[in-house]
Amino acid sequence: MSLRQYEYALAVAEEGSVTAAAERLRVAQPSVSQQIRGLERELGVRLFARTPTGLVPTTVGRAFLREAEVAVTASRRARATARAGAEDLVGELVVAVQMGFGTRQLPRALGELRRRYPRLEITVFEEPSVAELDRLCRRGALDFALMAACDRTPSDAHRLGDEELVVVLGEGHPRLASERVELAELKGEPWVRFDRDSTLDAVLVEVVRDHGLTPATAARVSQAATAVRWAAEGLGVTLLPASAVPPGHEHVVRPVHPALHRPVIAVLRQDAGPAERTLLDLLRNEEWPRSAPEPVSVSRNS
């Protein structure tokens, strides 16, 4: 077995067909088919089953592909570390970010990282679920995570700053006349909420319940920008980090009283390489509010 075979199998699983996998890999279709058949012969199992919607991994195939992804990721990291020099950095950096946190800071930091190292390939997953982040970490597929601090924050996490939480109101909402909104004043309002397993929805529920409110659900969305647009149209109010508000909607946004913040942290893989450390330094140089009232036990060291 070879890493090339692993990469071909992963591509087929992601694309659902040999043809699409070959196009993505920029190789001939017969080459991909041959490699997959050779891999199945060597393993003595079928990795894929043909369905009306395309090729899907078998039960054994799914188990194999999980380990293949770990091997391919480790190989990429090894190549990147070996090739890293003072003026060049190549390979792949896999970043996961919890929805709504670092929305302004992360793109700027990644842009600067690419300008410094144009040969570095960056893959970003916006993962709203803590469980999904945990799964990516266990699979060894994740290099860098940006998220809100929580009860399970690792002891070696790096605190970057704090995100202020703001409320988004509909056009013409009477509370827009105030500079700050008391959450208790939103009693009876419908809420635009987020996916049930997302960090943002957990934050919203925690905050409104702490203020004696029950978040009646008007809609659930999977993107912070969608929540802002729908709230602005009057479907319901919503609560999210200030940096997640897209341009053009600042006039329907108000801070809350008392002020609410969530610490934002970065978590690096244990054997972090130069790409991860550079990204951490870039994010530390970004503008982050520093007014959170409660300290979080996380590291400020590289």
Coordinates of all heavy atoms in Angstrom, one line a residue, residues 80-168:
A80 N 5.9 19.3 5.2 CA 5.9 20.7 5.4 C 7.0 21.1 6.4 O 7.7 22.1 6.3 CB 4.6 21.2 6.0
T81 N 7.2 20.2 7.5 CA 8.2 20.5 8.5 C 9.6 20.4 7.9 O 10.5 21.2 8.1 CB 8.1 19.5 9.6 OG1 6.8 19.7 10.2 CG2 9.1 19.8 10.7
A82 N 9.8 19.4 7.0 CA 11.1 19.1 6.4 C 11.5 20.2 5.4 O 12.6 20.6 5.3 CB 11.1 17.8 5.7
R83 N 10.5 20.8 4.8 CA 10.7 21.8 3.7 C 10.7 23.2 4.3 O 11.1 24.2 3.6 CB 9.7 21.7 2.6 CG 9.8 20.4 1.8 CD 8.5 20.1 1.1 NE 8.8 19.8 -0.3 CZ 7.8 19.4 -1.1 NH1 6.5 19.5 -0.7 NH2 8.1 19.1 -2.4
A84 N 10.3 23.4 5.5 CA 10.1 24.7 6.1 C 11.5 25.4 6.2 O 12.4 24.8 6.7 CB 9.5 24.7 7.4
G85 N 11.6 26.6 5.7 CA 12.9 27.3 5.8 C 12.6 28.7 6.2 O 11.5 29.1 6.5
A86 N 13.7 29.5 6.3 CA 13.5 30.9 6.7 C 12.7 31.7 5.7 O 12.0 32.7 6.2 CB 14.9 31.5 6.8
E87 N 12.7 31.4 4.4 CA 12.0 32.2 3.5 C 10.8 31.4 2.8 O 10.2 32.0 2.0 CB 13.0 32.7 2.4 CG 14.1 33.5 2.9 CD 13.6 34.8 3.6 OE1 12.5 35.3 3.2 OE2 14.3 35.3 4.5
D88 N 10.6 30.2 3.1 CA 9.6 29.4 2.4 C 8.9 28.4 3.4 O 9.5 27.9 4.3 CB 10.3 28.6 1.3 CG 9.2 28.1 0.3 OD1 8.1 28.6 0.3 OD2 9.6 27.2 -0.5
L89 N 7.7 28.2 3.1 CA 6.9 27.2 3.9 C 5.9 26.6 3.0 O 5.1 27.4 2.3 CB 6.2 27.9 5.1 CG 5.5 27.0 6.1 CD1 6.6 26.2 6.8 CD2 4.8 27.9 7.1
V90 N 5.9 25.3 2.8 CA 5.0 24.6 2.0 C 4.2 23.6 2.7 O 4.6 23.2 3.9 CB 5.7 24.0 0.7 CG1 6.3 25.1 -0.1 CG2 6.7 23.0 1.2
G91 N 3.2 23.0 2.1 CA 2.4 22.0 2.8 C 1.0 22.5 3.0 O 0.5 23.4 2.4
E92 N 0.3 21.8 3.9 CA -1.1 22.2 4.2 C -1.3 22.5 5.6 O -0.8 21.9 6.5 CB -2.0 21.0 3.8 CG -3.5 21.3 4.0 CD -4.4 20.1 3.7 OE1 -3.9 18.9 3.8 OE2 -5.6 20.3 3.4
L93 N -2.1 23.5 5.9 CA -2.5 23.9 7.2 C -4.0 23.8 7.3 O -4.8 24.4 6.6 CB -2.1 25.4 7.5 CG -2.5 26.0 8.9 CD1 -1.8 25.2 10.0 CD2 -2.2 27.5 8.9
V94 N -4.5 23.0 8.2 CA -6.0 22.8 8.4 C -6.4 23.5 9.7 O -6.0 23.2 10.8 CB -6.3 21.3 8.5 CG1 -7.8 21.0 8.7 CG2 -5.8 20.5 7.3
V95 N -7.3 24.5 9.4 CA -7.8 25.3 10.5 C -9.3 25.1 10.7 O -10.1 25.1 9.7 CB -7.5 26.8 10.2 CG1 -8.1 27.7 11.3 CG2 -6.1 27.0 9.9
A96 N -9.7 25.0 12.0 CA -11.2 25.0 12.3 C -11.5 26.2 13.1 O -10.7 26.6 14.0 CB -11.5 23.7 13.0
V97 N -12.7 26.8 12.8 CA -13.1 28.0 13.6 C -14.5 27.8 14.0 O -15.4 27.4 13.1 CB -12.8 29.3 12.8 CG1 -13.5 29.2 11.4 CG2 -13.3 30.5 13.6
Q98 N -14.9 28.1 15.2 CA -16.3 28.1 15.6 C -17.0 29.3 15.1 O -16.5 30.4 15.1 CB -16.4 28.1 17.2 CG -16.1 26.7 17.8 CD -16.3 26.7 19.3 OE1 -16.3 27.7 19.9 NE2 -16.4 25.5 19.8
M99 N -18.2 29.0 14.5 CA -18.9 30.0 13.8 C -19.1 31.3 14.6 O -19.5 31.2 15.8 CB -20.3 29.4 13.4 CG -21.2 30.4 12.7 SD -22.7 29.6 12.1 CE -23.4 29.1 13.7
G100 N -18.8 32.4 14.0 CA -19.0 33.7 14.6 C -17.9 34.3 15.4 O -17.9 35.5 15.7
F101 N -16.8 33.5 15.7 CA -15.7 34.0 16.5 C -14.5 34.2 15.6 O -14.1 33.4 14.8 CB -15.4 33.0 17.6 CG -16.5 32.8 18.7 CD1 -17.5 31.9 18.5 CD2 -16.5 33.7 19.7 CE1 -18.5 31.8 19.5 CE2 -17.5 33.7 20.7 CZ -18.5 32.7 20.6
G102 N -13.9 35.4 15.8 CA -12.8 35.8 15.0 C -13.1 36.0 13.5 O -12.3 35.9 12.6
T103 N -14.4 36.4 13.2 CA -14.8 36.6 11.9 C -14.0 37.7 11.1 O -13.8 37.5 9.9 CB -16.3 37.0 11.8 OG1 -17.0 35.9 12.5 CG2 -16.8 37.1 10.4
R104 N -13.6 38.7 11.8 CA -12.8 39.8 11.2 C -11.3 39.5 11.3 O -10.5 39.7 10.4 CB -13.1 41.1 11.8 CG -14.5 41.6 11.6 CD -14.8 42.8 12.4 NE -16.2 43.2 12.3 CZ -16.8 44.1 13.1 NH1 -16.1 44.8 14.0 NH2 -18.1 44.4 13.0
Q105 N -10.9 38.9 12.4 CA -9.5 38.8 12.7 C -8.8 37.6 11.9 O -7.7 37.8 11.3 CB -9.2 38.5 14.2 CG -9.6 39.7 15.0 CD -11.1 39.7 15.5 OE1 -11.9 38.9 14.9 NE2 -11.4 40.5 16.5
L106 N -9.5 36.5 11.8 CA -8.9 35.3 11.1 C -8.7 35.5 9.7 O -7.6 35.2 9.2 CB -9.8 34.1 11.3 CG -9.3 32.8 10.8 CD1 -7.9 32.4 11.4 CD2 -10.3 31.6 10.9
P107 N -9.6 36.1 8.9 CA -9.3 36.3 7.4 C -8.1 37.2 7.2 O -7.2 36.9 6.3 CB -10.5 36.9 6.9 CG -11.6 36.5 7.8 CD -11.0 36.4 9.2
R108 N -7.9 38.2 8.1 CA -6.7 39.1 7.9 C -5.5 38.3 8.2 O -4.5 38.5 7.5 CB -6.9 40.3 8.8 CG -7.9 41.3 8.4 CD -7.7 42.7 9.1 NE -8.0 42.5 10.5 CZ -9.1 43.0 11.1 NH1 -10.1 43.5 10.4 NH2 -9.2 42.8 12.4
A109 N -5.5 37.6 9.3 CA -4.3 36.8 9.7 C -3.9 35.8 8.6 O -2.8 35.6 8.3 CB -4.5 36.1 11.0
L110 N -4.9 35.1 8.1 CA -4.7 34.1 7.0 C -4.2 34.7 5.8 O -3.3 34.2 5.1 CB -5.9 33.3 6.8 CG -6.4 32.3 7.9 CD1 -7.7 31.6 7.5 CD2 -5.3 31.2 8.2
G111 N -4.7 35.9 5.4 CA -4.2 36.6 4.3 C -2.8 37.0 4.4 O -2.0 36.8 3.4
E112 N -2.4 37.5 5.5 CA -1.0 37.8 5.8 C -0.1 36.5 5.7 O 1.0 36.6 5.2 CB -0.8 38.5 7.1 CG 0.6 38.8 7.5 CD 1.3 39.7 6.5 OE1 0.6 40.5 5.8 OE2 2.6 39.7 6.4
L113 N -0.6 35.4 6.3 CA 0.1 34.2 6.2 C 0.4 33.7 4.8 O 1.5 33.3 4.5 CB -0.6 33.1 7.0 CG 0.1 31.8 7.2 CD1 1.3 31.9 8.1 CD2 -0.9 30.7 7.8
R114 N -0.6 33.9 3.9 CA -0.5 33.5 2.5 C 0.5 34.4 1.8 O 1.2 34.0 0.9 CB -1.8 33.5 1.8 CG -2.7 32.3 2.2 CD -2.0 30.9 1.8 NE -1.7 30.9 0.4 CZ -2.5 30.6 -0.6 NH1 -3.7 30.2 -0.3 NH2 -2.1 30.6 -1.9
R115 N 0.5 35.7 2.2 CA 1.4 36.6 1.5 C 2.8 36.3 1.9 O 3.7 36.4 1.0 CB 1.0 38.1 1.9 CG -0.2 38.7 1.2 CD -0.3 40.1 1.5 NE -0.8 40.4 2.8 CZ -2.1 40.4 3.1 NH1 -3.0 40.1 2.2 NH2 -2.5 40.6 4.4
R116 N 3.0 35.9 3.1 CA 4.4 35.5 3.5 C 4.8 34.2 2.9 O 6.0 34.0 2.5 CB 4.5 35.4 5.0 CG 4.3 36.7 5.8 CD 4.6 36.5 7.3 NE 4.3 37.6 8.1 CZ 4.5 37.7 9.4 NH1 5.1 36.7 10.0 NH2 4.2 38.8 10.0
Y117 N 3.9 33.2 2.8 CA 4.2 31.9 2.4 C 3.2 31.5 1.3 O 2.2 30.7 1.5 CB 4.2 30.9 3.5 CG 5.0 31.3 4.7 CD1 4.4 31.7 5.9 CD2 6.4 31.3 4.6 CE1 5.2 32.0 7.0 CE2 7.2 31.7 5.7 CZ 6.6 32.1 6.9 OH 7.4 32.4 7.9
P118 N 3.4 32.0 0.1 CA 2.4 31.7 -1.0 C 2.2 30.3 -1.4 O 1.3 29.9 -2.0 CB 2.9 32.6 -2.2 CG 4.4 32.8 -1.9 CD 4.5 32.8 -0.4
R119 N 3.2 29.4 -1.0 CA 3.1 28.0 -1.4 C 2.4 27.2 -0.3 O 2.2 26.0 -0.5 CB 4.5 27.5 -1.7 CG 5.2 28.1 -2.8 CD 6.6 27.6 -3.0 NE 6.7 26.2 -3.2 CZ 7.7 25.4 -3.1 NH1 8.9 25.9 -2.7 NH2 7.7 24.1 -3.4
L120 N 2.0 27.8 0.8 CA 1.3 27.1 1.8 C -0.2 27.0 1.5 O -0.8 28.0 1.1 CB 1.4 27.9 3.1 CG 0.8 27.3 4.4 CD1 1.4 26.0 4.7 CD2 0.8 28.3 5.5
E121 N -0.7 25.8 1.5 CA -2.1 25.5 1.3 C -2.9 25.5 2.6 O -2.5 24.9 3.5 CB -2.3 24.2 0.6 CG -3.7 23.8 0.3 CD -3.9 22.4 -0.4 OE1 -2.8 21.9 -0.8 OE2 -5.0 21.9 -0.4
I122 N -3.9 26.4 2.6 CA -4.7 26.5 3.8 C -6.1 26.0 3.6 O -6.8 26.4 2.6 CB -4.7 28.0 4.3 CG1 -3.3 28.5 4.5 CG2 -5.6 28.2 5.5 CD1 -3.3 30.0 4.7
T123 N -6.6 25.2 4.5 CA -8.0 24.7 4.5 C -8.7 25.1 5.7 O -8.1 24.8 6.8 CB -8.0 23.1 4.3 OG1 -7.3 22.7 3.1 CG2 -9.5 22.6 4.3
V124 N -9.8 25.7 5.6 CA -10.6 26.2 6.8 C -11.9 25.5 6.9 O -12.7 25.5 5.9 CB -10.7 27.8 6.7 CG1 -11.5 28.2 8.0 CG2 -9.4 28.5 6.6
F125 N -12.2 25.0 8.0 CA -13.5 24.5 8.3 C -14.2 25.4 9.3 O -13.7 25.6 10.4 CB -13.4 23.0 8.9 CG -12.9 22.0 8.0 CD1 -11.5 21.7 8.0 CD2 -13.7 21.4 7.1 CE1 -11.0 20.7 7.2 CE2 -13.2 20.4 6.2 CZ -11.9 20.1 6.3
E126 N -15.4 25.9 9.0 CA -16.2 26.6 10.0 C -17.1 25.5 10.6 O -18.1 25.1 10.1 CB -17.1 27.7 9.3 CG -17.7 28.6 10.3 CD -18.5 29.7 9.7 OE1 -19.3 29.4 8.7 OE2 -18.4 30.8 10.1
E127 N -16.7 25.1 11.8 CA -17.3 24.0 12.5 C -18.1 24.6 13.7 O -17.5 24.9 14.8 CB -16.3 23.0 13.0 CG -15.5 22.4 11.9 CD -16.4 21.4 11.0 OE1 -17.5 21.2 11.4 OE2 -15.9 21.0 10.0
P128 N -19.4 24.7 13.7 CA -20.1 25.2 14.8 C -20.2 24.3 16.0 O -20.5 24.7 17.1 CB -21.5 25.5 14.2 CG -21.7 24.5 13.1 CD -20.3 24.4 12.5
S129 N -20.0 23.0 15.8 CA -20.2 22.0 16.9 C -18.9 21.7 17.6 O -17.8 21.4 17.0 CB -20.7 20.7 16.3 OG -20.6 19.7 17.2
V130 N -18.9 21.8 18.9 CA -17.8 21.4 19.8 C -17.5 19.9 19.5 O -16.3 19.5 19.5 CB -18.1 21.7 21.2 CG1 -16.9 21.1 22.1 CG2 -18.2 23.2 21.5
A131 N -18.5 19.1 19.4 CA -18.3 17.7 19.1 C -17.5 17.4 17.8 O -16.7 16.5 17.7 CB -19.6 16.9 19.1
E132 N -17.9 18.2 16.8 CA -17.2 18.1 15.5 C -15.7 18.5 15.6 O -14.8 17.9 15.1 CB -17.9 18.9 14.5 CG -17.3 18.8 13.1 CD -17.4 17.4 12.5 OE1 -18.2 16.6 13.0 OE2 -16.8 17.1 11.4
L133 N -15.4 19.5 16.4 CA -14.1 19.9 16.6 C -13.3 18.8 17.4 O -12.2 18.5 17.0 CB -14.0 21.2 17.5 CG -14.3 22.5 16.7 CD1 -14.4 23.7 17.7 CD2 -13.3 22.8 15.7
D134 N -13.9 18.2 18.4 CA -13.3 17.1 19.1 C -13.0 16.0 18.1 O -11.9 15.3 18.2 CB -14.2 16.6 20.2 CG -14.3 17.6 21.4 OD1 -13.4 18.5 21.4 OD2 -15.2 17.5 22.2
R135 N -13.9 15.7 17.2 CA -13.8 14.6 16.3 C -12.6 14.8 15.4 O -11.7 13.9 15.1 CB -15.0 14.4 15.5 CG -15.0 13.1 14.6 CD -16.3 13.0 13.8 NE -16.4 14.1 12.8 CZ -15.8 14.1 11.6 NH1 -15.1 13.0 11.2 NH2 -16.0 15.0 10.7
L136 N -12.5 16.1 14.9 CA -11.4 16.4 14.0 C -10.0 16.3 14.7 O -9.0 15.8 14.1 CB -11.5 17.8 13.4 CG -12.6 18.0 12.4 CD1 -12.8 19.5 12.1 CD2 -12.2 17.3 11.1
C137 N -10.0 16.7 16.0 CA -8.8 16.6 16.7 C -8.4 15.1 17.0 O -7.2 14.8 16.8 CB -8.9 17.3 18.1 SG -9.0 19.1 18.0
R138 N -9.4 14.3 17.3 CA -9.1 12.9 17.6 C -8.5 12.2 16.3 O -7.7 11.3 16.4 CB -10.3 12.2 18.1 CG -10.7 12.5 19.5 CD -11.7 11.5 20.1 NE -12.8 11.4 19.3 CZ -13.9 12.1 19.4 NH1 -14.0 13.0 20.4 NH2 -15.0 11.9 18.6
R139 N -9.0 12.6 15.2 CA -8.6 12.0 13.9 C -7.2 12.5 13.5 O -6.6 12.0 12.5 CB -9.6 12.3 12.8 CG -10.9 11.6 13.0 CD -12.0 12.1 12.0 NE -11.6 12.1 10.7 CZ -12.2 12.8 9.7 NH1 -13.3 13.5 10.0 NH2 -11.8 12.7 8.4
G140 N -6.7 13.5 14.2 CA -5.4 14.0 13.8 C -5.5 14.9 12.5 O -4.5 15.1 11.9
A141 N -6.7 15.3 12.2 CA -6.8 16.1 10.9 C -6.8 17.6 11.1 O -6.9 18.3 10.1 CB -8.2 15.7 10.3
L142 N -6.6 18.0 12.3 CA -6.7 19.4 12.6 C -5.3 20.0 13.1 O -4.7 19.4 14.0 CB -7.8 19.7 13.7 CG -8.2 21.1 14.0 CD1 -8.7 21.8 12.8 CD2 -9.2 21.1 15.1
D143 N -4.9 21.1 12.6 CA -3.7 21.8 13.0 C -3.9 22.9 14.0 O -3.1 23.1 14.9 CB -2.9 22.3 11.8 CG -2.6 21.2 10.8 OD1 -2.1 20.2 11.2 OD2 -2.7 21.5 9.6
F144 N -5.0 23.6 13.8 CA -5.2 24.9 14.5 C -6.7 25.1 14.7 O -7.5 24.9 13.8 CB -4.6 26.0 13.7 CG -4.5 27.3 14.4 CD1 -3.3 27.8 14.9 CD2 -5.6 28.1 14.6 CE1 -3.1 29.0 15.5 CE2 -5.5 29.4 15.3 CZ -4.2 29.8 15.7
A145 N -7.2 25.4 15.9 CA -8.6 25.7 16.1 C -8.7 27.1 16.8 O -8.0 27.4 17.7 CB -9.2 24.6 17.0
L146 N -9.7 27.8 16.4 CA -10.1 29.1 16.9 C -11.5 29.0 17.5 O -12.4 28.6 16.7 CB -10.0 30.2 15.9 CG -10.3 31.6 16.4 CD1 -9.1 32.1 17.3 CD2 -10.4 32.6 15.2
M147 N -11.7 29.3 18.8 CA -13.0 29.0 19.4 C -13.2 29.8 20.6 O -12.3 30.5 21.1 CB -13.1 27.5 19.7 CG -12.1 27.1 20.8 SD -12.1 25.3 21.2 CE -11.3 24.7 19.7
A148 N -14.4 29.8 21.1 CA -14.7 30.4 22.4 C -14.3 29.5 23.5 O -14.3 28.3 23.4 CB -16.2 30.7 22.5
A149 N -13.8 30.1 24.6 CA -13.4 29.3 25.8 C -14.7 28.7 26.4 O -15.8 29.2 26.3 CB -12.7 30.2 26.8
C150 N -14.5 27.5 26.9 CA -15.6 26.7 27.5 C -15.1 25.9 28.7 O -13.9 26.0 29.1 CB -16.3 25.8 26.5 SG -15.2 24.6 25.8
D151 N -16.0 25.1 29.3 CA -15.6 24.3 30.5 C -14.5 23.3 30.1 O -13.8 22.9 31.0 CB -16.9 23.6 31.0 CG -17.9 24.5 31.6 OD1 -17.5 25.7 31.9 OD2 -19.1 24.1 31.7
R152 N -14.4 22.9 28.9 CA -13.4 21.9 28.5 C -12.2 22.5 27.8 O -11.5 21.8 27.1 CB -14.1 20.9 27.6 CG -15.1 20.0 28.3 CD -15.6 18.9 27.4 NE -16.4 19.5 26.3 CZ -16.8 18.8 25.2 NH1 -16.4 17.5 25.1 NH2 -17.5 19.3 24.3
T153 N -12.0 23.8 28.0 CA -10.8 24.5 27.4 C -9.5 23.8 27.8 O -9.3 23.7 29.0 CB -10.8 26.0 27.8 OG1 -11.9 26.6 27.2 CG2 -9.5 26.6 27.3
P154 N -8.7 23.4 26.9 CA -7.4 22.7 27.3 C -6.5 23.7 28.0 O -6.6 24.9 27.9 CB -6.8 22.4 25.9 CG -7.9 22.5 24.9 CD -8.9 23.5 25.4
S155 N -5.7 23.1 28.9 CA -4.8 23.9 29.8 C -3.7 24.6 28.9 O -3.2 25.6 29.4 CB -4.2 23.1 30.8 OG -3.4 22.0 30.2
D156 N -3.4 24.1 27.7 CA -2.4 24.7 26.9 C -2.9 25.6 25.8 O -2.2 26.0 24.9 CB -1.5 23.6 26.3 CG -2.3 22.7 25.4 OD1 -3.6 22.7 25.4 OD2 -1.7 21.9 24.6
A157 N -4.2 26.0 26.0 CA -4.8 26.9 25.0 C -4.2 28.3 25.1 O -3.6 28.7 26.2 CB -6.3 27.0 25.2
H158 N -4.3 29.1 24.1 CA -3.7 30.5 24.0 C -4.9 31.5 23.9 O -5.6 31.5 23.0 CB -2.8 30.6 22.9 CG -1.7 29.6 22.8 ND1 -0.4 29.8 23.3 CD2 -1.7 28.3 22.3 CE1 0.3 28.7 23.2 NE2 -0.4 27.8 22.5
R159 N -5.0 32.3 24.9 CA -6.0 33.4 24.9 C -5.6 34.5 24.0 O -4.5 35.0 24.1 CB -6.3 33.9 26.3 CG -7.4 34.9 26.3 CD -7.8 35.2 27.7 NE -8.9 36.3 27.7 CZ -9.6 36.5 28.8 NH1 -9.4 35.8 29.9 NH2 -10.5 37.5 28.8
L160 N -6.5 34.9 23.1 CA -6.2 35.9 22.2 C -6.9 37.3 22.6 O -6.3 38.3 22.3 CB -6.7 35.5 20.8 CG -6.1 34.3 20.2 CD1 -6.8 33.9 18.9 CD2 -4.6 34.5 19.9
G161 N -8.1 37.2 23.1 CA -8.8 38.4 23.5 C -10.2 38.0 23.8 O -10.5 36.9 24.2
D162 N -11.1 38.9 23.6 CA -12.5 38.7 23.9 C -13.5 39.2 22.8 O -13.1 40.2 22.2 CB -12.9 39.4 25.2 CG -12.0 38.9 26.3 OD1 -12.2 37.9 26.9 OD2 -11.0 39.7 26.6
E163 N -14.5 38.5 22.6 CA -15.6 38.9 21.6 C -16.7 39.5 22.4 O -17.3 38.9 23.3 CB -16.1 37.8 20.8 CG -15.1 37.3 19.7 CD -15.3 38.1 18.4 OE1 -15.9 39.2 18.5 OE2 -14.8 37.6 17.4
E164 N -17.1 40.7 22.1 CA -18.3 41.3 22.7 C -19.6 40.8 22.0 O -19.6 40.7 20.8 CB -18.3 42.8 22.6 CG -19.5 43.5 23.3 CD -19.5 45.0 23.3 OE1 -18.7 45.5 22.5 OE2 -20.3 45.6 24.0
L165 N -20.6 40.4 22.8 CA -21.8 39.9 22.3 C -22.8 41.1 22.1 O -22.9 42.0 23.0 CB -22.5 38.9 23.2 CG -21.6 37.6 23.5 CD1 -22.4 36.7 24.4 CD2 -21.3 36.9 22.2
V166 N -23.4 41.2 20.9 CA -24.4 42.2 20.6 C -25.7 41.6 20.2 O -25.8 40.5 19.8 CB -23.8 43.1 19.5 CG1 -22.5 43.8 20.0 CG2 -23.5 42.4 18.2
V167 N -26.7 42.5 20.3 CA -28.1 42.0 19.8 C -28.4 42.7 18.5 O -28.0 43.9 18.3 CB -29.1 42.4 20.9 CG1 -29.3 43.9 21.0 CG2 -30.5 41.7 20.6
V168 N -29.0 42.0 17.6 CA -29.4 42.5 16.3 C -31.0 42.6 16.3 O -31.7 41.6 16.6 CB -29.0 41.6 15.2 CG1 -29.3 42.2 13.8 CG2 -27.5 41.3 15.2

